[in-house]
Amino acid sequence: MVIPTEDSVITEMTSTLRDWGTMWKQLYVRNEGDLFHRLWHIMNEILDLRRQVLVGHLTHDRMKDVKRHITARLDWGNEQLGLDLVPRKEYAMVDPEEISITELYRLMEHRHRKKDTPVPASSHHLFVQMKSLMCSNLGEELEVIFSLFDSKENRPISERFFLRLNRNGLPKCPEKPERHCSLFVDLGSSELRKDIYITVHIIRIGRMGAGEKKNACNVQYRRPFGCAVLSIADLLAGDSKDDLVLKVYMCNTESDWYQIHENIIKKLNARYNLTGSNAGLAVSLQLLHGDIEQIRREYTSRFTHGVSITRKLGFSNIIMPGEMRNDLYITVERGEFEKGGKSVARNVEVTMHVVDSSGQILKDFISFGSGEPPASEYHSFVLYHNNGPRWAELLKLPIPVDKFRGAHIRCEFRHCSTKEKGEKKLFGFSFVPLMQENGRTLPDGTHELIVHKCEENANLQDSGRYLKLPFSKGISLGSNSQAVKSTKESFWITSFLCSTKLTQNGDMLDLLKWRTHPDKIAGCLSKLKEIDGSEIVKFLQDTLDTLFGILDENSQKYGSKVFDCLVHIINLLQDSKFHHFKPVMDTYIESHFAGALAYRDLIKVLKWHIDRVTEVELHDHIQEVLKAQEYIFKYIVQSRRLFSIATGGQNEEEFRCCIQELLMSVRFFLSQESKGTSALSQLQAVFLSSFPSVYSELLKLFDVREVANLVHDALGSLPTVMHGDESLQAVKLQSIGKTVESHLYTNPDSRCILLPVVLHHLHMHLQEQKDLIMCARILSNIFCLIKKNSSEKSVLEEIDVIVNSLLDILLRTILEITSRPQPSGSAMRLQFQDVTGEFVSCLLSLLRQMTDRHYQQLLDSFNTKEDLRDFLLQIFTVFRILIRPEMFPKDWTVMRLVANNVIITTVLYLSDALRKNFLNENFDYKIWDSYFFLAVIFINQLCLQLEMFTPSKKKKVLEKYGDMRVTMGCEIFSMWQNLGEHKLHFIPALIGPFLEVTLIPQPDLRNVMIPIFHDMMDWEQRRSGNFKQVEAKLIDKLDSLMSEGKGDETYRELFNSILLKKIERETWRESGVSLIATVTRLMERLLDYRDCMKMGEVDGKKIGCTVSLLNFYKTELNKEEMYIRYIHKLYDLHLKAQNFTEAAYTLLLYDELLEWSDRPLREFLTYPMQTEWQRKECLHLTIIQNFDRGKCWENGIILCRKIAEQYESYYDYRNLSKMRMMEASLYDKIMDQQRLEPEFFRVGFYGKKFPFFLRNKEFVCRGHDYERLEAFQQRMLNEFPHAIAMQHANQPDETIFQAEAQYLQIYAVTPIPENQEVLQRDGIPDNIKSFYKVNHIWRFRYDRPFHKGTKDKENEFKSLWVERTTLILVQSLPGISRWFEVEKREVVEMSPLENAIEVLENKNQQLRTLISQCQTRQMQNINPLTMCLNGVIDAAVNGGVARYQEAFFIKEYILNHPEDGEKITRLRELMLEQAQILEFGLAVHEKVVPQDMRPLHKKLVDQFFVMKSSLGIQEFSACVQASPVHFPNGSPRVCRNSIPISMSPDAARVIPRRSPLSYPAVNRYSSSSLSSQASAEVSNITGQSESSDEVFNMQPSPSTSSLSSTHSASPNVTSSAPSSARASPLLSDKHKHSRENSCLSPRERPCSAIYPTPLETSQRMLFNHIGDGALPRSDSNLPGADKAVNTTPSSWSLDSGKEARNTSESGKLISPPVPPRPVQTASPARHIASISPSPAGRSPMKGSVQSFTPSPVEYHSSGLISNSPALSGSYSSGISSLSRCSTSETSGFESQGSEPAVTVPSYSISEEPVRKESKTPPPYSVYERTLKRPVPLPHSLSIPPAADPPALPPKPQLVRPNNLENSSRRTEQVPRPRPLPRKVSQL
């Protein structure tokens, strides 16, 4: 064994500083500046102290002091840094293996308590510093007197602190701090209360009156000035008050001055007032805690500079031996004087002298207070004209004892004249002697002294002349028989003596002088008990000598009385006030006691008292005797030793017999059982409490074993009844505790005798669960004496005894106290924890001491297997309790490691018993389960995770204990293998616990434990043919464990490799591989998720990872609860990132799993217990709120309708109303608020360093508002700081995929809207269209221009091809994430001709939109239109469009590309269409162009004619069938029959539209270039015109409104016509024109008649009206007014340019621009034919009703051209009264909602309409293409197709009939596919 020579403190310091160094740097990194700097200072201090120790020149005391400082700083630093508490003994670290565990626990507990709960100080001191008096009318010197006053008892409790101020109110001697600073010492805790006050009296020195003239009098008087008061309670909160200013008050009448402080305290305002408006006393106060020596050390500077000490009045609470005091306190109270022949009362001044026996005045023995040196005389203050003055001034006379005898006090009374001379005339005197002739001093109390008259010239120097006179009324000197003249004048003083040498007690003097009065001895002994204790302790030695002297003189006569007096004195010293005098008595016994014969009398009297304990009348006296037995035995033993020394040991046997007899009496007395009376048990308790203190005295005379036997017999005789007096049981236990702590027990010889009786009593108490605190302390002391490695036979025997007696009861006690609820009070809780900790440490100590033999004996001692089973279950349960984190404080790692070492050692012993006794036919599941559970939580303990320790700490633990986790893991594996077929009992219960163990990052442990899973799979396969249970449990536990931070990539690989290797030869290998693969993939995702969640801010990585995991749980694992949990985690992430739209879509996933049913759901996550309907309602409302915040109002409308439908079905009209209002508000927001269209970016993540869910995949991401490519790219690089941005858009090769790096490829992509119908319609506001451009997008494209073949430098269009990449996503955007993975790529090449067609289409649409916006005044600034016109016309003039002609219209191209005939025709159409649009645009531009831009407009017009010429267009009348340009507010017209010469005959037929895939009409195009479409662009404007024979007239029609586009109806539109009317058949022909024309303005009607314009059906809208032939539909739920057939025209109120939609016969639902209502509340359908639309009617009776938005739907017949002249009416004329959008602005017409509506007859079409098959989803539906998507999106927002188009909600549960049927029928609700099995019953 190597013993280091270096001091252990230095070794610890060095290693600690190394550990701190690393952590100190981390503090800087974490920006914890305060702790960083404090620790830096502490480290420097420790290094300085270390140098001092290493130098080695320190004294022993100094070395001890330095070590104390070092360890204090080390502990402070460890606590601040969260390091372990270090157990220390005398400043050195202790080795826990070298001391018992109970001792270790006590050391830890002591240090923990010291750290947590500082011991409250019992002594307090008040520091006072006088700074100045602030007052305007000073000018005289002042005296300031501080004192402490108890208002409760109405008396001062301290001496006075006296100081003088100069004329400026400042201290007179500032250079002497002791003159203006004082410390009021020895205040007890009882004196820190609110009724203790600091009083300040201020006396001025000067003239009699404050306002007298200066020359009036030269004599100085002391006169009252003011008083201030402060409660000490004001200091208790802060302990310090610097620069405190006290208000100074003055009494209204001087006669109240003596009690002014009381009046201020009582707030008797009428008796005092402020001395001045600005008078204040500036002081500094501080309350200090601790004994005076400690204060001197801590506040060295204050004591160094000087501070006066102000004591308490009289003795302090504790009188210390050797304290020398002889202070007489005199209070000058008051006087009663006669006028003395004067007309007014006198001004009396008292002068006091102390005069000795010779008549000389004693110098400097009158003290006014601390802070001022004593003086020889005292002058009282003067009260003006007062014959009964009250002064109440306290003086201290510190007169030495030798001068006390014969001295007296003389007080002289003088009248102070206020005349010019100011003389003081003596008129009387009083005196009082300090000591009487018999030696007694002046008694304490108030004395009324006689005032003896005298003249000014009276000679008082000769004291002998007046000392014979009487001095006090009622008291006269015996020798003086002179008569006293009666006098009315008196003078009162109060005296109080505080002396350790003088006594005022005559009985005390008589006792001490007993030899002079032998006859008074009995009386003196009797009176001793009446003498005050302070008098006795002052003369303790003299008194004891007196008593033993009397005993020696006559023991027969006085023995009993002396014994009683001795008992009284001994018990007096038990008082806390005098307990410091015990050492004085001990010293007396050892050194001064001489009573060699006293022991006989003492034993005899003591035995006499013990024998009479049953005599009730003597109980009180015997109790006193028993209390004093310790010192009685001390006197007995010392007396016997003195006798032995004197006689050479005579009478030894006789003495032993006496002691034996005495102890026999004791045993008999203790064995008595109190039968109902508590008196006897009280005496037994008193005896037992002091009996252990006798052992040490007996050991001085007897052998150890003898004394042990005596004590064993005494304690053994105690009654064992536990239900007796509880106080006696507690005292009995305390006595046993003291026995164990005594020196007698530490001896091994005596311990073996005493241990059985001690254990017997402990067992009884523990069995009853009584006095546990004391039991724990005794047990701790027992184990403290048994060292760890003691292999002595005696120790092994002791362990045997303890195991047999206490092990079982100890386990039960720990179980009992840990199962109790903890007490609420902090003190009680600490006590509770202490008890638990002590018992635990005792158990651990016992187990650590047990050897193999002990364990074997213990296990063999159980008679039955049941007993053994109970024991094992009990000890396993206790071990689980010991492992709990709360068992010890968190920084007690040392204690935890020791405990774990003991536990694992014990478990290894007990596992053998488990194997031998509880396997095969004796198998017991409960005990095996308990064993495995214990083993698992043992391994998982935080204190055993060595990976978290610092390297040095880890090394120490491994050296001392090894890795206990591996040991326990091997034991688990071994026990598992022993189970055999019983393993099935633990599958799947142990999968979770074992999985938790394998996740610990310890390779050996993992290698041992992972194979158990193979074993479990194998046994489960044998039992049930599969291992679904194993799989389910593994998956469930993995998520919770990995989210707690457990597991790593290494574990995933190890798990995979070990199990794959294990199952290679199994018959079930395939299913095993599948399970392992699933679990491994789950681990990958969970690890990625955990890593992402460690990031600070929410980013795409976190969201993407959560989406990946969520989908995995749903699709691959079908774990519904986990799926829902991750839905909510994703929802929270979105909310945090303010992705409100994505948050709404996410919550929809959960909403999809619920039905509108009343099934109860359990409490789950943040949801309370509620019905499924309530939860779905709550979800709907939350989703609507998020759609609203995300400006995705269209989706919100759908949900509003769904929930409104539910409210309606329940007749919940209140909530239905709110929901309808919410729906209306969403419509308003669509029209009124601006929405930004986001950019979309394609991101490729390449390389192996990306997380699994991103690796080598490409995504499309929806950007943030205002985010462009550069900003997005920078954001992605910030999220992936190690990624490299690729600078090209080509697909990367395999080397990039496999690279150990991160590559990001980012470029912008263009969305391809699915719903083209809305976007192609004219007249729909951009506010509505903007939604469809960027929502529900599956497809995105990216264009790369390139030249194929030879590039023509003259005309690059000839060879300009475009490679178009279309990306198809797994889910549409927006969705539950801002980005989704690309599922499929489609790459096509567009020929130069196709490219040209698309460019022109986009440009034409852009022009249309800008012109429309300009017409409707939507455009505040016309610059965009101007720039666009200029760009197109200027480019065309300079060869833009002409280049297309040169490239594609030449004969050579047509011949070489015969397949492009249709495309060439289409290009030609577009060019002509562009010319038409430009001409109309110029017309509009002319109207709005400002004056300063007229020249530019003129230039554009001129260039336009040049452009026409270049295109070969002479006039537009030559054009034929060009695709119409539909403008919402009027359109240019051309003659419908004119045919262009240049067009081929084929051009007259309708050119069908290409599908959106071949010619997507979505592209943002530069207004200044038509050359190419060179990069991927995102379109803001889309356009796709319909074929028609509509032609243009260059003058706008009177009505600029067009209903060729379907507008959404305004929220303010009210359709209040009766249901029957709205559902009636269409009106006949004859009513059409009358109604229609009645709606038109005068300017519009001729237009309708002259220019009949047949419309394409897709551009028409039918409004149903009531006609004469209408058949009303019966509806019993409607009111009578609604059932009537209204033949008058109905009126409509339209707003915001929104109009109703149309439908066709087919009943096929197409995407309208506003959401249709759900089918369940379908409105009456309107029959649609290929005719002009007309508005539906409204009942005038309901004109005032709150407007409501009908929900029209559109039925579309694409490509149908109707040229029938029978169709009359123009959409641009007949319907203009219905549009308000820009009519009033452009044509001067304002539509009125009250005008009659147009009547339209019904027409039928014979041809079958030609339809374009629409693949678009229902409007804003959140839908999935089910054939392609593995994960269907929620369909809460989808609109199921139905035969009935929706409208106003019907009465609840009433289904409206079809427009073609009158009979009622119910629409069947299409069943929705459930994405998951219905397992949500509890969620």
Side-chain angles (χ1 to χ4, degrees), residues 1387-1641:
V1387 181
V1388 295
E1389 290 183 352
M1390 289 177 61
S1391 67
L1393 177 55
E1394 290 171 333
N1395 186 30
I1397 289 170
E1398 184 168 300
V1399 169
L1400 278 177
E1401 280 181 337
N1402 290 334
K1403 182 52 64 178
N1404 288 355
Q1405 181 57 34
Q1406 184 184 5
L1407 281 165
R1408 282 195 200 94
T1409 305
L1410 290 171
I1411 293 166
S1412 171
Q1413 288 178 350
C1414 193
Q1415 273 189 295
T1416 57
R1417 299 290 191 271
Q1418 291 179 26
M1419 192 185 295
Q1420 303 295 326
N1421 184 358
I1422 67 160
N1423 285 350
L1425 176 60
T1426 307
M1427 290 168 65
C1428 192
L1429 289 171
N1430 182 51
V1432 176
I1433 294 171
D1434 193 39
V1437 170
N1438 294 315
V1441 181
R1443 297 290 186 200
Y1444 290 149
Q1445 289 178 304
E1446 293 171 15
F1448 308 120
F1449 292 176
I1450 60 174
K1451 187 174 182 179
E1452 181 186 349
Y1453 184 87
I1454 294 171
L1455 290 173
N1456 291 338
H1457 300 85
E1459 74 281 359
D1460 286 349
E1462 286 188 7
K1463 295 175 183 173
I1464 292 170
T1465 306
R1466 175 64 181 156
L1467 180 61
R1468 194 187 309 278
E1469 283 178 14
L1470 289 168
M1471 291 164 68
L1472 294 172
E1473 181 183 306
Q1474 191 176 78
Q1476 297 169 29
I1477 297 170
L1478 287 170
E1479 185 149 1
F1480 183 69
L1482 286 169
V1484 173
H1485 190 260
E1486 184 174 13
K1487 290 184 179 182
V1488 294
V1489 70
Q1491 195 63 35
D1492 57 344
M1493 291 178 67
R1494 286 281 174 192
L1496 174 61
H1497 177 75
K1498 187 174 183 302
K1499 177 192 168 192
L1500 289 177
V1501 173
D1502 293 342
Q1503 285 185 329
F1504 176 65
F1505 283 108
V1506 176
M1507 173 187 167
K1508 285 203 297 184
S1509 301
S1510 68
L1511 293 175
I1513 302 173
Q1514 300 306 317
E1515 57 180 37
F1516 283 117
S1517 60
C1519 300
V1520 62
Q1521 280 188 298
S1523 295
V1525 186
H1526 299 303
F1527 296 101
N1529 299 297
S1531 56
R1533 302 181 182 281
V1534 294
C1535 180
R1536 55 187 287 264
N1537 295 323
S1538 52
I1539 297 175
I1541 299 164
S1542 60
M1543 296 284 288
S1544 67
D1546 293 332
R1549 64 188 173 80
V1550 175
I1551 308 294
R1553 293 292 263 146
R1554 289 164 299 158
S1555 77
L1557 288 178
S1558 61
Y1559 291 106
V1562 186
N1563 192 14
R1564 176 183 296 140
Y1565 197 76
S1566 166
S1567 62
S1568 61
S1569 169
L1570 293 174
S1571 63
S1572 65
Q1573 188 178 3
S1575 63
E1577 300 162 303
V1578 181
S1579 168
N1580 287 325
I1581 300 148
T1582 61
Q1584 195 165 339
S1585 57
E1586 300 290 344
S1587 300
S1588 171
D1589 26 317
E1590 173 76 278
V1591 288
F1592 293 91
N1593 182 352
M1594 289 313 295
Q1595 295 300 322
S1597 67
S1599 168
T1600 54
S1601 169
S1602 169
L1603 287 180
S1604 60
S1605 325
T1606 307
H1607 285 225
S1608 62
S1610 159
N1612 296 327
V1613 174
T1614 307
S1615 176
S1616 318
S1619 306
S1620 56
R1622 282 178 295 186
S1624 64
L1626 297 175
L1627 302 177
S1628 60
D1629 270 299
K1630 63 181 180 178
H1631 299 291
K1632 181 177 186 295
H1633 293 296
S1634 61
R1635 270 214 190 170
E1636 195 166 302
N1637 290 336
S1638 69
C1639 290
L1640 302 178
S1641 67

Side-chain angles (χ1 to χ4, degrees), residues 1121-1146:
E1121 183 171 344
M1122 299 309 299
Y1123 172 63
I1124 295 170
R1125 284 182 187 278
Y1126 278 94
I1127 284 173
H1128 286 83
K1129 287 181 181 180
L1130 180 59
Y1131 173 72
D1132 291 338
L1133 284 175
H1134 281 312
L1135 282 188
K1136 196 172 177 184
Q1138 297 190 337
N1139 299 336
F1140 299 115
T1141 302
E1142 284 75 14
Y1145 277 107
T1146 301

